[in-house]
Amino acid sequence: MDDGVHSEAGIPLAVSYGPADLPPTESLPPPGEFPFTRGNFRDGYRGRVWTIRQYSGFGTPEESNKRYRYLLAQGGTGLSVALDLPTQCGYDSDHPDVEEEVGRVGVALDTLADAEILFDAIPLDAISTSFTINGTAAILLAFYVAVGEKQGVERAKLRGTIQNDILKEYVSRGTWIWPPRPSLRLIADTIEFCAEEVPRFNAISVAGAHFRDAGANAAQEMAFTLMDGITYCDEVMARGRMTIDEFAPQVSFFFYTHGDFFEEIAKYRAGRRRWARIVRERYGAKDDRSCMFRVGCVAGGASLYAPQAQNNVVRVAYEALASVLGGVQSMFTAAWDEPFALPSEDSATLALRTQQVLAYETGVARVADPLGGSYYVEALTNEMEARVVEIMDDLERRGGMVQAVEEGYLQRLISEEAFRVQQAITSGERAIVGVNRFETDDDPPEVEGYEMDEQGRIRQLERLAEVKRSRSSSEVRATLTALGAAAARDDDNLMPRLVDCAKAYCTVGEMVDVLKGKWGEFQQPAVF
Amino acid sequence: MPGPARVLVAKPGLDGHDRGAKLVARALRDAGFEVIYTGIRQRPEAIASVALQEGVQIVGLSILSGAHLALTRKTADALRAVGADDVLLVVGGTVPQRDVARLKAAGAAAVYPTGTPLEVLLDSMRALSETDHLHS
């Protein structure tokens, strides 16, 4: 009976659920077995809790290096590097249009010299590093490989992830550089390169998170992300050089966990099952590891609110619990002051402690998939999967993701949903404590935040100038020319060329400009 | 009666978070404003030149990267440089409370930090568009 009670994504909810809502036993095998609805691993988190990976990075490489060493000393188990926008969009710190953005939302990296400082005294064979980088992902991968070499760490030992998911950038995050088709080619190059040379590194983290933060609901987030995953795998498969089993284990995914507790759990379980089937049925995977849907997530983002901001600590804790019950592999918990500023050291530490309490005090990590077999959770998982399939079919009928992006269709779907949610909050239909229920007249808190000091930017510019003075200009010319020549051919993998450029201390902007010269730039449709 | 107020919603700098900009653009349109949206990653000079060509009364900047002070100053300068001094500038986004006064000193007629209710923003924009003639 539909009495008007729905999940946030619009799934009608019964008053209670019972045995008739369970899927047949054979379609719900134990954790660690295909199709992995109940989790990727037989032991769940018992052998090893999820990776606690706090997104961090700001200012100069020296400052970020210090923060990373602090986070690792506090028990963080992986790094998550935030890059500043010029680095993400392919501009050097000395570009005249970007002066106010240098070192602001992340660390500025111009050349290999910066990357060497960023990872100074951090053993790259002992930790894993995740880079939220897309347009320039291939260049950052080249830097990482080159820094590893300098530390004496062979490529096969490097662990980490580059986000490298350009399709969602065109729709919702905005750090695009080149048009979709050549960008897809570069992504396929990185996937092949990692499969062959850097086998423990995830070449891509297909990210639904930014669709979600831009306004998509949980079902749309999952559907759009799986469609992007298919687009990237199709691109690699179309080259005919690799089987799915050679690269699928290095494809990972990334989501936001928002506030609807059970729906978020169902989202992860449904996504795991759907991806497993896609990889086996569409691409003929023989190895079950190829079918695993390996997921990182963020608790926070657009689910946090400015009024009564400390309530965000509680929101993030519930979201973190939902993520863990959903079986994610790594997590970032956002700081409560995120709506106002970059987190202070105190608020960032509290966010880290939130995960540690969850992992080591609550006991949730003791048993794999504790909610498996719950009438409600299994029913919601089935319903979520059905919705996801419906949305994916619609996109397939419209010619796939690239077309949906180029035509602005995806952008429109997301804006519509964002607007619907905003209306639901304004009308009070969706309750948000402190925003439309139990409001108070408190002044916004005085947040400490982070102030980029002007000295940092000047040091960054001085180092860039020094690198340009001391590097071999003939090597720079030679490696950039080779990059351009390789870009002009379709069958040449650009990654080895980019590693050569990195080692010659070419700047991010120089490499990007060579490729812009061959490929042009993306033109955005401005729809609202 | 003059026609509906014309507003340019703009995203200066490299920040691509445009959920807020689009929501505001749409709410303004529904409230009877004529709205133009620039898309993301616009240079301040380009915003000023669109503002002039389109004859808008108000330019609304949306900035979530923390670069709001510099980008607001640059946009105010760019508007002056093209002779559009009478265009009102408003700013929304991830703005800490301590920066509200600084933004006003940099030329913002109003500031809407994250968490500002849409109705409050709309009322403020209506008031600005009605008192606009006082500035010219």
Side-chain angles (χ1 to χ4, degrees), chain A residues 86 97 99-101 104-105 173-176 213-215 302 306 339-340 415-416 419 444 447-448 451 524 527-528, chain B residues 13-16 19 22-23 25-26 29-30 37 39-43 65-67 70-71 74 94 96-98 114:
Chain A
D97 283 349
E99 121 194 65
E100 60 279 345
E101 316 259 17
R104 191 174 284 281
V105 300
R173 195 168 168 278
T175 67
W176 32 258
D213 234 28
F340 306 103
S415 291
E416 289 292 327
F419 190 70
V447 293
E448 219 177 291
E451 275 288 288
Q524 60 177 320
V527 290
F528 70 89
Chain B
L14 300 177
D15 160 42
R19 179 180 186 155
K22 287 176 169 176
L23 275 174
R26 195 163 164 164
R29 192 183 63 195
D30 292 353
Y37 173 52
I40 61 170
R41 288 169 62 177
Q42 303 296 312
R43 303 176 65 232
S65 64
L71 289 170
K74 282 189 175 181
T94 313
Q97 205 54 33
R98 60 157 190 253
T114 317

Side-chain angles (χ1 to χ4, degrees), chain B residues 7-10 24 28 57-63 72 75 79 87-92 103 107-112 121 124-125 128:
Chain B
V7 179
L8 179 67
V9 175
V24 168
L28 285 169
Q57 285 167 267
I58 306 176
V59 171
L61 301 180
S62 165
I63 308 162
T72 300
T75 309
L79 284 169
V87 174
L88 296 173
L89 195 57
V90 300
V91 182
L103 283 171
V111 181
Y112 312 115
L121 180 144
S124 160
M125 294 283 281
L128 284 175

Side-chain angles (χ1 to χ4, degrees), chain A residues 45-338:
Chain A
Y45 301 118
R46 184 179 285 200
R48 174 167 171 256
V49 300
W50 61 93
T51 302
I52 297 174
R53 196 192 288 288
Q54 298 301 86
Y55 187 55
S56 164
F58 51 88
T60 59
E62 288 90 346
E63 288 173 280
S64 289
N65 174 264
K66 203 170 132 222
R67 177 71 74 95
Y68 295 159
R69 284 155 67 168
Y70 170 79
L71 285 171
L72 292 172
Q74 298 303 307
T77 49
L79 298 178
S80 176
V81 177
L83 281 318
D84 72 354
L85 285 166
T87 306
Q88 295 191 48
C89 297
Y91 299 102
D92 292 335
S93 296
D94 58 1
H95 192 288
D97 283 349
V98 303
E99 121 194 65
E100 60 279 345
E101 316 259 17
V102 173
R104 191 174 284 281
V105 300
V107 59
L109 292 190
D110 292 315
T111 67
L112 180 59
D114 296 328
E116 288 164 7
I117 295 166
L118 188 66
F119 295 110
D120 182 42
I122 297 173
L124 297 194
D125 51 353
I127 55 124
S128 71
T129 307
S130 164
F131 293 90
T132 301
I133 191 74
N134 294 278
T136 50
I139 295 170
L140 267 290
L141 174 60
F143 282 165
Y144 202 67
V145 166
V147 173
E149 258 174 50
K150 296 243 164 178
Q151 285 192 2
V153 178
E154 51 187 295
R155 293 177 183 184
K157 287 202 174 136
L158 295 174
R159 286 185 300 129
T161 306
I162 39 175
Q163 196 163 78
N164 205 18
D165 170 5
I166 201 67
L167 287 170
K168 62 92 174 53
E169 295 294 326
Y170 299 121
V171 175
S172 62
R173 195 168 168 278
T175 67
W176 32 258
I177 300 173
W178 311 288
R181 316 260 167 201
S183 296
L184 280 175
R185 176 246 171 123
L186 185 56
I187 290 166
D189 283 356
T190 58
I191 293 175
E192 283 186 349
F193 177 78
C194 284
E196 282 162 0
E197 307 261 334
V198 206
R200 298 179 73 193
F201 203 93
N202 295 317
I204 189 164
S205 170
V206 187
H210 312 91
F211 297 133
R212 191 66 183 284
D213 234 28
N217 64 40
Q220 290 174 320
E221 178 192 29
M222 183 54 70
F224 298 166
T225 309
L226 295 181
M227 284 298 290
D228 278 350
I230 287 173
T231 309
Y232 298 125
C233 288
D234 281 356
E235 180 78 14
V236 178
M237 295 296 283
R239 298 178 165 198
R241 294 201 284 258
M242 279 192 176
T243 66
I244 187 79
D245 290 314
E246 285 174 281
F247 70 90
Q250 283 164 285
V251 176
S252 65
F253 295 85
F254 188 66
F255 297 90
Y256 259 110
T257 305
H258 280 181
D260 188 337
F261 189 78
F262 286 105
E263 183 169 84
E264 292 297 329
I265 296 167
K267 175 185 85 181
Y268 290 118
R269 299 173 94 251
R272 257 194 316 270
R273 181 158 72 204
R274 183 55 16 202
W275 183 248
R277 290 186 174 147
I278 290 167
V279 174
R280 187 183 270 186
E281 288 159 18
R282 185 180 179 111
Y283 301 113
K286 298 199 169 53
D287 185 346
D288 277 356
R289 283 181 318 146
S290 305
C291 304
M292 273 186 199
F293 187 66
R294 289 159 316 111
V295 169
C297 75
V298 187
S303 68
L304 306 186
Y305 292 87
Q308 299 178 11
Q310 294 196 350
N311 295 350
N312 291 330
V313 175
V314 183
R315 293 190 177 105
V316 166
Y318 286 132
E319 291 168 358
L321 176 58
S323 309
V324 164
L325 294 173
V328 303
Q329 273 63 62
S330 76
M331 179 155 48
F332 162 50
T333 33
W336 66 269
D337 51 1
E338 201 180 58

Side-chain angles (χ1 to χ4, degrees), chain A residues 363-382:
Chain A
V364 286
R366 288 179 192 138
V367 172
D369 190 31
L371 294 182
S374 148
Y375 303 138
Y376 175 36
V377 170
E378 296 300 350
L380 199 55
T381 302
N382 291 345

